[in-house]
Amino acid sequence: MLKAVILIGGPQKGTRFRPLSFEVPKPLFPVAGVPMLQHHIEACAKVPNMKEILLIGFYQPNEELNRFLFNAQQEFKISIRYLQEYAALGTGGGIYHFRDQIVSGSPDAFYVLNADVCSAFPLAEMLSFQKEHGEPNSFVILGTTANRKQSMNYGCIVENETTKEVLHYVEKPSTFVSDIINCGIYLFTPEIFQHIGAVFQKNQQDMLLYPYDGEEPTNGWHRAEAIRLEQDIFTALAGQDKLYVYKTLSFWSQIKSAGSAIYASRLYLNQYHTTHPERLASIKEGGPKISGNVYIHPTANIDPTAMLGPNVSIGTGVTIGAGVRVRESIILHGATLQDHCCVLNSIVGWDSTIGKWARVEGTPSDPNPNDPFAKIDSETLFREGKLTPSITILGCNVTIPSEVIILNSIVLPHKDLNRSFKNQIIL
Amino acid sequence: MKALILVGGYGTRLRPLTLSVPKPLVDFCNKPILLHQLEALVKAGVDHVILAVSYMSELLEREMRVQEERLGIRISLSHEKEPLGTAGPLALARELLNIDNEPFFVLNSDVICDFPFKDLLQFHSNHGKEGTIVVTRVEEPSKYGVVVFEADSGRIHRFVEKPQVFVSNKINAGIYIFNPSMLSRIQLRPTSIEKEIFPVMAEEGQLYTMELQGFWMDIGQPKDFLTGMCMYLQSLRQHAPERLRTGPGFLGNVLVDPTAQIGENCTIGPNVTIGAGVVVEDGVRIKRCTVMKGARVRSHSWLESCIVGWSSSVGQWVRMENVTVLGEDVIVNDELYLNGANVLPHKSINESVPEPRIIM
């Protein structure tokens, strides 16, 4: 029997996702038309013998999360529970704290998935890999290949090329170590808790020896229970014949910034051709013109002269007027796009309105298309004091007047703009 | 009567339009700039027009033959081998201007207004002196050279270049009338009429001014070309409103050639000129623009303060603004944003131009 744990973080995390994370917990932000988390849950529910999915995080229980859990249980006919941490315990601390819940019912193994990744989730492949390779009790990290420069922004894995054992693990090194990076998706057996437990014991002893005196502790955490899988566990397990890497060639990306949500949407929409063809809009009599992969919620009201795609997701109750153009964008529920407006490389927030002939445009931050191993850069908002051109984001309930242009800008929620803006954050 | 039009050189300030046709033939409000001037001169009784050009253009010569025929006048081209300034061309054309004792008109070819040639001739004959220059009022006299004159008679006292304290708000409008006797003041060498000839004439009490009524604009560069267009259309509204297009989808002063096609759900205007054979597809918004002969604007695009050159094509969902000028036969692909782009002829644009620049 198998279980899965999805680490969903909490409100203090995901600030790079603002202003969109003001309205909805980031794991529930829609990517390719469904909440980010649903892609994880669908992948887990598909694995044979999957008995339970546990979400661990430090969000206060809220209506949206509850509703999502309720609907997901109904849809996937599987137990899904939310376990709330009393504080941010890190990627290892959270599962250690809830280890009794995880091991109850004696699963043979369990997956751990970070919520802020987008992936084809080759979970079944990871399981057969674990059975074929190494110890029966080994742990598996999903790895993928990055280019040399970008690899240093991730956890880097050195493997034994024959056995696939992890020989060395280092998180975000300052010099090049390996082009195999950690995808934030793991397969553990319950034995992992012995290793996390050992770190916990050591942390406790350290705290007795060196009581917290207000100084910043070396690992950045104040509690014995705050443990990071990457730095505290994988680094120690490397070379112990315990930890293996399963390298995937299928798609994978982090979803850190709002810009990466558009890229992730593209990856998932493309996957729908095999997994969910019914979610892709097709050209119909009396329907809008469709180019490439487009998701349209059935409740959206779209004029037949509009042209959508590629890579467009239209949420519930969205209204799209005559002659509207949308490309490489996410339109969130309740938004209104008036006649002839043009939306490119942007996220339009819930209940926002874009006036006639207005142009809302951003600059895509896609990975280099000529480098098969390139990943999206989770770049900083500012470079040399200037806002880096990125996708345009309209927060919730923003009004854009007719005929203006909003270029490479971020508009915080509940703003009525009265003119054009370029390369600005509008508070 | 005779008139001399100072056409001058390559019209570089009005590029990229003047890369395709000589400046006098650039369409302004659906008519070549020069024809606005020629027709007004003919109305005032001029039967011989001399174009002072510093480069020869076959296109211009051919067009002038056509206009000679059409207007029933004589048009001569006076070619300067070297630039002669604003006065030298008068000396070069001396033989043509000095054949009788009649006064003659002189005008800069960049100027657009309600040409007051009849009044000018009348005024000039009344004071009986050697020359009269037309002046127009400006808001910021410190940017120009102003003319100081006697309010009642119009006799000029002096000229002040870029005055720091207010002395006058009237500037030289580039439209003159002279008696042939003034030609003796000019030698055949590069000379500025404004700096070297006028001050002397004023000193001798031989130069008068007449104030221009109505609009005036030097349309020698694209930004002013568009401003001049707005003024011209407003003047049409007052004097010939039947030539302006009205009805649903048209706002303010809009001039549309009868052979142009306008699609459904467009909003055109205020201040738009649409040339012959132009196709504007559905759902287009255009304001404060000139769209020249044979151009196409595809559906759902938005244009403000642009000049779309002859036979150019603007794609769907394009946004163009801030004095974007497309030369002849430019293609702007779908969904692009052009901000202050200056695009040379026969160019295909595939990516946005978010900040003003020249596209070679």
Side-chain angles (χ1 to χ4, degrees):
Chain A
M1 180 269 264
L2 296 167
K3 289 196 183 187
V5 176
I6 304 172
L7 305 173
I8 65 169
Q12 291 82 4
K13 296 275 173 185
T15 51
R16 270 184 283 177
F17 215 70
R18 286 178 179 174
L20 301 166
S21 50
F22 286 139
E23 312 301 326
V24 61
K26 178 179 155 186
L28 297 184
F29 184 82
V31 175
V34 304
M36 204 185 285
L37 258 185
Q38 186 166 328
H39 297 284
H40 298 61
I41 290 173
E42 281 177 15
C44 292
K46 251 191 244 170
V47 178
N49 292 321
M50 182 64 67
K51 283 290 170 302
E52 186 172 50
I53 299 168
L54 301 168
L55 312 186
I56 296 179
F58 45 101
Y59 286 100
Q60 291 296 326
N62 60 66
E63 203 198 313
E64 273 167 311
L65 194 55
N66 290 340
R67 194 171 346 112
F68 171 75
L69 291 176
F70 178 80
N71 290 338
Q73 298 207 55
Q74 299 282 309
E75 188 173 347
F76 300 106
K77 311 264 183 300
I78 191 170
S79 158
I80 305 175
R81 288 189 295 143
Y82 174 49
L83 307 174
Q84 190 196 348
E85 296 164 272
Y86 62 92
L89 294 177
T91 48
I95 59 173
Y96 185 69
H97 184 76
F98 291 111
R99 61 192 179 281
D100 292 346
Q101 305 270 0
I102 297 169
V103 300
S104 82
S106 308
D108 306 311
F110 64 98
Y111 296 94
V112 172
L113 298 83
N114 281 290
D116 60 359
V117 299
C118 147
S119 170
F121 298 112
L123 302 180
E125 292 87 333
M126 286 170 76
L127 189 63
S128 14
F129 171 84
Q130 188 222 26
K131 285 184 175 143
E132 287 161 22
H133 280 80
E135 298 280 303
N137 247 336
S138 63
F139 313 133
V140 180
I141 304 180
L142 183 69
T144 190
T145 308
N147 66 35
R148 283 179 72 96
K149 190 165 152 268
Q150 288 180 324
S151 68
M152 299 183 308
N153 301 324
Y154 297 89
C156 292
I157 298 164
V158 180
E159 63 165 358
N160 176 324
E161 282 182 25
T162 334
T163 64
K164 309 297 173 199
E165 192 205 337
V166 175
L167 299 176
H168 183 72
Y169 183 93
V170 56
E171 189 67 19
K172 299 189 180 72
S174 55
T175 54
F176 176 73
V177 173
S178 165
D179 62 358
I180 306 171
I181 60 166
N182 175 1
C183 292
I185 297 165
Y186 317 115
L187 177 61
F188 296 135
T189 66
E191 202 193 287
I192 191 74
F193 294 122
Q194 293 173 23
H195 300 278
I196 305 176
V199 173
F200 175 67
Q201 301 296 335
K202 183 177 162 294
N203 283 358
Q204 262 190 333
Q205 283 165 13
D206 285 357
M207 288 178 85
L208 288 172
L209 285 173
Y210 317 106
Y212 175 58
D213 59 358
E215 269 184 48
E216 196 66 14
T218 49
N219 70 352
W221 302 86
H222 296 303
R223 301 170 201 279
E225 220 182 348
I227 297 164
R228 299 160 302 178
L229 275 177
E230 301 80 14
Q231 290 95 324
D232 299 329
I233 309 296
F234 295 159
T235 304
L237 280 177
Q240 305 290 313
D241 201 20
K242 269 282 157 203
L243 194 58
Y244 288 78
V245 57
Y246 173 72
K247 280 192 289 177
T248 180
L249 292 172
S250 58
F251 71 87
W252 179 85
S253 175
Q254 277 189 325
I255 311 179
K256 291 287 188 198
S257 64
S260 52
I262 293 182
Y263 177 60
S265 262
R266 186 187 317 152
L267 298 176
Y268 280 135
L269 285 173
N270 194 40
Q271 192 195 27
Y272 285 169
H273 283 287
T274 48
T275 56
H276 290 285
E278 78 286 356
R279 285 186 190 162
L280 290 172
S282 52
I283 299 160
K284 286 192 210 86
E285 182 80 28
K289 292 177 215 107
I290 304 289
S291 156
N293 298 333
V294 173
Y295 169 85
I296 302 174
H297 194 274
T299 59
N301 183 7
I302 300 175
D303 190 278
T305 59
M307 181 166 175
L308 313 178
N311 187 22
V312 166
S313 309
I314 308 285
T316 53
V318 166
T319 303
I320 294 188
V324 168
R325 178 74 178 104
V326 187
R327 170 161 63 79
E328 295 286 344
S329 294
I330 297 175
I331 313 298
L332 297 165
H333 71 70
T336 301
L337 275 52
Q338 294 179 351
D339 297 356
H340 319 294
C341 73
C342 181
V343 178
L344 311 173
N345 302 303
S346 298
I347 297 177
V348 177
W350 304 270
D351 299 319
S352 286
T353 301
I354 298 177
K356 285 182 177 188
W357 282 295
R359 183 181 181 96
V360 174
E361 181 176 12
T363 300
S365 45
D366 288 357
N368 177 0
N370 299 319
D371 176 355
F373 302 122
K375 304 284 175 277
I376 196 161
D377 276 316
S378 51
E379 59 195 14
T380 50
L381 217 47
F382 292 91
R383 191 183 295 146
E384 287 157 11
K386 274 181 146 178
L387 188 65
T388 46
S390 67
I391 66 151
T392 285
I393 303 167
L394 308 184
C396 138
N397 190 28
V398 165
T399 305
I400 305 294
S402 292
E403 305 194 26
V404 302
I405 179 168
I406 308 296
L407 185 66
N408 301 337
S409 292
I410 297 171
V411 187
L412 270 66
H414 311 292
K415 284 294 285 187
D416 277 8
L417 302 188
N418 54 15
R419 62 175 176 93
S420 294
F421 287 91
K422 292 177 186 175
N423 307 306
Q424 279 187 53
I425 297 175
I426 299 140
L427 288 175
Chain B
M1 263 194 93
K2 296 164 297 299
L4 181 125
I5 301 178
L6 297 160
V7 173
Y10 292 95
T12 54
R13 292 189 306 155
L14 205 53
R15 281 183 180 165
L17 301 173
T18 46
L19 291 171
S20 297
V21 303
K23 186 173 64 181
L25 299 185
V26 169
D27 292 311
F28 175 79
C29 296
N30 288 350
K31 190 193 288 184
I33 296 172
L34 187 61
L35 286 204
H36 289 274
Q37 296 155 348
L38 285 183
E39 288 176 7
L41 288 167
V42 169
K43 253 192 212 161
V46 170
D47 54 9
H48 182 192
V49 176
I50 300 138
L51 303 184
V53 294
S54 64
Y55 84 109
M56 287 306 277
S57 147
E58 253 180 61
L59 197 63
L60 185 60
E61 281 183 72
R62 212 178 319 129
E63 181 61 23
M64 288 312 101
R65 298 290 83 85
V66 174
Q67 295 306 326
E68 274 188 324
E69 188 82 2
R70 189 177 73 96
L71 298 168
I73 58 167
R74 182 178 160 207
I75 302 175
S76 315
L77 289 158
S78 169
H79 181 210
E80 328 162 21
K81 301 288 185 291
E82 53 160 342
L84 292 173
T86 45
L90 274 72
L92 186 66
R94 196 189 311 265
E95 309 301 305
L96 298 168
L97 295 169
N98 205 10
I99 49 167
D100 51 30
N101 212 15
E102 263 187 349
F104 59 89
F105 295 109
V106 173
L107 63 149
N108 286 335
S109 68
D110 292 348
V111 164
I112 278 292
C113 62
D114 284 328
F115 294 102
F117 295 121
K118 263 189 180 152
D119 294 347
L120 182 57
L121 176 62
Q122 185 68 49
F123 179 87
H124 180 72
S125 310
N126 286 350
H127 66 66
K129 296 294 191 295
E130 227 170 33
T132 307
I133 72 179
V134 176
V135 293
T136 184
R137 213 156 97 177
V138 290
E139 285 181 3
E140 293 182 61
S142 56
K143 284 191 198 166
Y144 305 87
V146 298
V147 184
V148 183
F149 57 91
E150 212 170 74
D152 295 341
S153 67
R155 194 173 67 85
I156 296 177
H157 293 306
R158 60 196 166 106
F159 296 87
V160 184
E161 197 55 36
K162 299 196 170 67
Q164 293 307 299
V165 280
F166 183 89
V167 287
S168 163
N169 59 1
K170 308 291 192 308
I171 65 161
N172 176 352
I175 300 166
Y176 323 118
I177 187 165
F178 301 120
N179 293 340
S181 61
M182 82 75 81
L183 291 169
S184 62
R185 299 174 179 274
I186 306 172
Q187 287 165 357
L188 187 57
R189 60 174 169 81
T191 309
S192 161
I193 202 168
E194 298 88 349
K195 295 206 175 80
E196 298 174 62
I197 309 298
F198 288 167
V200 181
M201 290 174 74
E203 193 124 302
E204 295 174 10
Q206 289 293 334
L207 201 56
Y208 278 68
T209 67
M210 186 185 89
E211 199 180 333
L212 182 68
Q213 306 303 313
F215 79 98
W216 175 89
M217 196 70 205
D218 176 334
I219 55 167
Q221 45 193 338
K223 182 172 163 282
D224 300 332
F225 181 97
L226 289 170
T227 307
M229 174 194 71
C230 298
M231 292 173 166
Y232 181 89
L233 295 181
Q234 183 57 29
S235 162
L236 275 188
R237 166 72 59 203
Q238 284 155 9
H239 302 121
E242 71 285 352
R243 290 182 53 201
L244 296 175
R245 182 82 169 257
T246 50
F250 294 92
L251 297 176
N253 303 328
V254 178
L255 182 65
V256 182
D257 187 278
T259 60
Q261 297 170 42
I262 311 281
E264 286 177 16
N265 302 317
C266 291
T267 306
I268 313 286
N271 298 313
V272 172
T273 303
I274 292 181
V278 166
V279 177
V280 176
E281 296 184 357
D282 297 346
V284 170
R285 177 80 182 96
I286 306 179
K287 46 189 186 182
R288 205 173 184 276
C289 287
T290 287
V291 183
M292 292 191 176
K293 209 179 291 172
R296 172 179 282 262
V297 181
R298 302 205 51 216
S299 49
H300 314 300
S301 282
W302 184 95
L303 282 68
E304 182 179 27
S305 297
C306 299
I307 302 173
V308 178
W310 308 273
S311 307
S312 285
S313 172
V314 176
Q316 295 181 290
W317 291 288
V318 165
R319 181 186 180 96
M320 300 203 316
E321 61 186 338
N322 194 17
V323 199
T324 285
V325 184
L326 307 184
E328 184 189 12
D329 180 38
V330 165
I331 297 170
V332 180
N333 280 290
D334 292 350
E335 298 164 28
L336 298 181
Y337 170 48
L338 304 190
N339 174 20
N342 233 306
V343 187
L344 270 58
H346 312 293
K347 187 86 192 158
S348 174
I349 306 284
N350 301 311
E351 52 184 52
S352 290
V353 181
E355 294 303 326
R357 68 188 184 93
I358 295 162
I359 311 293
M360 295 288 283

